[in-house]
Amino acid sequence: MFRHLQRKVVLAIGVAVGSGAATLVTLNAKSANSDDTLKVDQKNGDKVSDELVANNLKPINGNDNGQDVSRGQDIINSCVNRLSQWRQINGIPGIVVGVSLRGQNVWVYSEGFADIENGVKCNDRTVMRIASISKSMTSALLAKLLQEGKLDLDQPISQYLTKDQFPDKFWDGKKVDITLRQLASHLGGIRHYKKGNNNNNKNTTDDYKLAEFSVPEYYLKETFPSVTESLKLFKDDPLVAKPGEKYNYTTFGYTLISAVIESQLNGEKFEKYLVKFLRNELGLEHTYLDQNDPIIYNRSHFYVKNENSGRMQNAPYVDNSYKWAGGGLLSNVYDLLKFGNIMLYSYKGGTADGKPGFIRKDIVDQMWTPLTNTRLDWDTRWGGYGLGWGVIRGTQSKFSYCSEPMFSHIFSHTGGAIGASSVILIEPNNELVVTIITNLQQVGAIYEMGLYIAQQFTN
């Protein structure tokens, strides 16, 4: 169904549309996740390589008729046009998009404003909230600790936390265990943001249904001194399902994971350990805790729409210290593309030049396998949920010529935060990574927009 790209794709066309700026890198550029061959054109803000312009304006297949260069232009034009339409429909202040193919960043595009009030345009270095993509990064840390034998995904979390930190849980009057594997796949029975007030100790999901952006818990301004302290938000609440039996998406489940990790750090705080992991081990130099006080260069402002007028306004202040692991990180597209490639080539067992993946292939295979009870038969976008990732794997249409996933295998996560929306997609057959970050809350169809871009670069 999907043709694997055997040829070298040379996308040697700089694009600027409106306030947008594009960066294009050849697949045989100096480094997969480096822009040290690039220079900034001071005149228009586009980033292009002298060598790229001078030597690589060539047809993709080596033909001299120019048709393949035109095809490269068509890919970019198609993506830019759709992105611009999508941005206008949703009223998004600013977007940044990145595409990596076979380990090389081939296209980075920005459009709109990082700061409306001061007229600061988005650029390829703009840093935004990545929201729940933080879960995927936390799952990579979990995988590393599993690989090192420091954690066991299937041990009850009561082996790591005291009853004061997280009390025993019961279902139908019987004590039940919760494991890290269940928490990472949203099968632990932990609630999400609270919609109502459940004071009758009944086990029901009615008061804990997903109701993001409409509940006070999403707008917390309290700073928690440790992730263990933040457990007080939900540790005494009843489970919403028996562990292992029902998928219930929950950011608090990842807060609980971070507390388990912190319990093994000999007094070091989880958030500091997470930053060291991201910075020193993964090499993500522009991924940060979403803290208000530090100066973070290129950080975007964030925006929401007024519920009554629909007009754009600044997002309210929030403190995300209760959910570092599940939704508390900032990043830019270069780091997200690099992270996607770290996961992709761990899954593939390494790169073509013989470098091994950061995480063992068998562990990533676990992360990217949907767990039982996470599959949603009606939702062909996701298929199911692994450990920190939405998973479509070997999915096919049930009936001839009917709706089916755009890709047979794709691993992804979306993110929704106060004033931001994001997505990352990894398509392994073509070794493709696509990411989009925006500075608007509740952007519609961001996953579908990412799929559209992925399709353009693989068709």
Side-chain angles (χ1 to χ4, degrees):
M1 178 178 177
F2 301 103
R3 184 174 68 253
H4 184 70
L5 300 183
Q6 298 295 333
R7 65 181 186 268
K8 284 188 177 180
V9 179
V10 180
L11 297 174
I13 306 150
V15 178
V17 177
S19 60
T23 301
L24 295 169
V25 187
T26 61
L27 288 189
N28 44 357
K30 185 181 291 187
S31 172
N33 288 290
S34 168
D35 63 344
D36 53 5
T37 63
L38 302 178
K39 76 173 220 176
V40 176
D41 183 335
Q42 300 295 334
K43 189 172 184 179
N44 57 24
D46 288 352
K47 192 178 281 188
V48 276
S49 165
D50 284 343
E51 181 181 358
L52 178 66
V53 173
N55 301 323
N56 292 316
L57 286 174
K58 303 173 184 176
I60 291 172
N61 290 325
N63 300 322
D64 291 328
N65 56 19
Q67 292 180 351
D68 288 314
V69 168
S70 176
R71 169 60 180 152
Q73 179 73 70
D74 288 344
I75 291 172
I76 302 304
N77 286 345
S78 176
C79 291
V80 168
N81 289 339
R82 182 63 66 91
L83 282 164
S84 297
Q85 292 168 346
W86 174 70
R87 177 177 163 241
Q88 290 176 2
I89 289 171
N90 288 277
I92 306 170
I95 58 175
V96 191
V97 183
V99 178
S100 173
L101 194 59
R102 293 196 295 283
Q104 298 286 336
N105 296 342
V106 295
W107 187 50
V108 172
Y109 175 78
S110 60
E111 182 176 311
F113 290 90
D115 180 348
I116 296 174
E117 291 171 309
N118 293 297
V120 179
K121 294 180 180 179
C122 284
N123 60 62
D124 61 321
R125 296 294 177 180
T126 299
V127 171
M128 295 183 182
R129 287 173 174 156
I130 61 171
S132 288
I133 297 177
S134 305
K135 294 180 175 70
S136 301
M137 291 187 175
T138 298
S139 74
L141 174 56
L142 198 60
K144 178 233 182 189
L145 295 173
L146 172 65
Q147 184 168 274
E148 294 174 349
K150 295 179 179 178
L151 288 175
D152 187 330
L153 292 181
D154 297 310
Q155 283 292 319
I157 61 172
S158 58
Q159 299 293 316
Y160 301 101
L161 300 175
T162 67
K163 291 184 180 180
D164 287 338
Q165 292 171 325
F166 195 79
D168 291 337
K169 291 299 173 183
F170 297 85
W171 188 260
D172 287 341
K174 297 180 181 179
K175 181 178 175 296
V176 291
D177 291 324
I178 302 171
T179 68
L180 285 170
R181 189 184 302 276
Q182 290 168 342
L183 290 175
S185 57
H186 304 291
L187 291 170
I190 303 299
R191 70 171 179 86
H192 197 39
Y193 298 103
K194 184 184 288 187
K195 183 177 182 180
N197 294 304
N198 190 331
N199 296 317
N200 56 15
N201 204 34
K202 291 183 179 180
N203 296 306
T204 173
T205 61
D206 290 345
D207 289 330
Y208 303 112
K209 289 180 179 177
L210 180 63
E212 292 177 306
F213 307 115
S214 63
V215 292
E217 278 186 331
Y218 217 98
Y219 298 85
L220 291 175
K221 295 176 175 58
E222 178 182 357
T223 299
F224 291 88
S226 71
V227 294
T228 304
E229 285 291 318
S230 66
L231 298 181
K232 70 180 185 181
L233 289 167
F234 61 93
K235 70 177 186 177
D236 295 320
D237 293 329
L239 298 179
V240 299
K242 185 177 180 179
E245 290 195 353
K246 187 175 182 180
Y247 176 84
N248 180 73
Y249 186 86
T250 167
T251 291
F252 287 135
Y254 273 74
T255 300
L256 190 49
I257 289 174
S258 67
V260 170
I261 294 174
E262 188 172 86
S263 73
Q264 304 301 299
L265 299 182
N266 298 317
E268 185 176 7
K269 289 186 176 181
F270 168 80
E271 59 267 28
K272 291 185 178 180
Y273 185 75
L274 175 64
V275 170
K276 286 196 299 186
F277 167 71
L278 296 173
R279 190 81 72 250
N280 299 341
E281 298 193 54
L282 299 190
L284 305 183
E285 298 292 335
H286 305 286
T287 300
Y288 312 90
L289 297 175
D290 185 5
Q291 296 171 307
N292 183 66
D293 293 344
I295 299 298
I296 297 176
Y297 295 114
N298 298 305
R299 176 163 28 183
S300 171
H301 283 219
F302 302 105
Y303 301 95
V304 299
K305 290 182 179 179
N306 184 282
E307 291 184 2
N308 298 319
S309 68
R311 291 177 63 87
M312 195 75 61
Q313 62 187 42
N314 290 312
Y317 169 78
V318 292
D319 186 297
N320 287 323
S321 59
Y322 71 99
K323 59 174 182 179
W324 298 129
L329 297 177
L330 306 164
S331 194
N332 70 9
V333 292
Y334 288 121
D335 271 17
L336 289 173
L337 290 175
K338 186 172 188 178
F339 174 62
N341 279 310
I342 289 169
M343 297 304 303
L344 170 62
Y345 289 102
S346 292
Y347 173 73
K348 297 182 79 69
T351 57
D353 60 4
K355 285 188 178 180
F358 176 74
I359 302 169
R360 288 201 323 262
K361 177 178 172 59
D362 63 298
I363 294 178
V364 183
D365 193 59
Q366 289 185 56
M367 298 170 69
W368 286 356
T369 298
L371 274 75
T372 304
N373 297 333
T374 69
R375 289 187 177 274
L376 305 175
D377 292 337
W378 53 268
D379 191 343
T380 57
R381 298 182 313 158
W382 286 95
Y385 201 93
L387 305 179
W389 291 87
V391 177
I392 288 177
R393 189 163 177 174
T395 305
Q396 296 180 346
S397 172
K398 290 183 178 180
F399 306 102
S400 59
Y401 293 95
C402 292
S403 177
E404 62 180 329
M406 194 175 292
F407 297 97
S408 60
H409 291 67
I410 198 159
F411 312 109
S412 62
H413 216 294
T414 56
I418 299 300
S421 303
S422 57
V423 67
I424 185 171
L425 302 99
I426 302 173
E427 197 280 300
N429 293 336
N430 292 294
E431 300 178 26
L432 177 77
V433 182
V434 175
T435 188
I436 306 172
I437 54 176
T438 76
N439 55 355
L440 180 67
Q441 182 174 305
Q442 289 181 292
V443 169
I446 192 169
Y447 177 81
E448 289 77 8
M449 188 68 248
L451 280 179
Y452 179 85
I453 294 171
Q455 185 183 40
Q456 304 313 300
F457 277 85
T458 54
N459 274 350

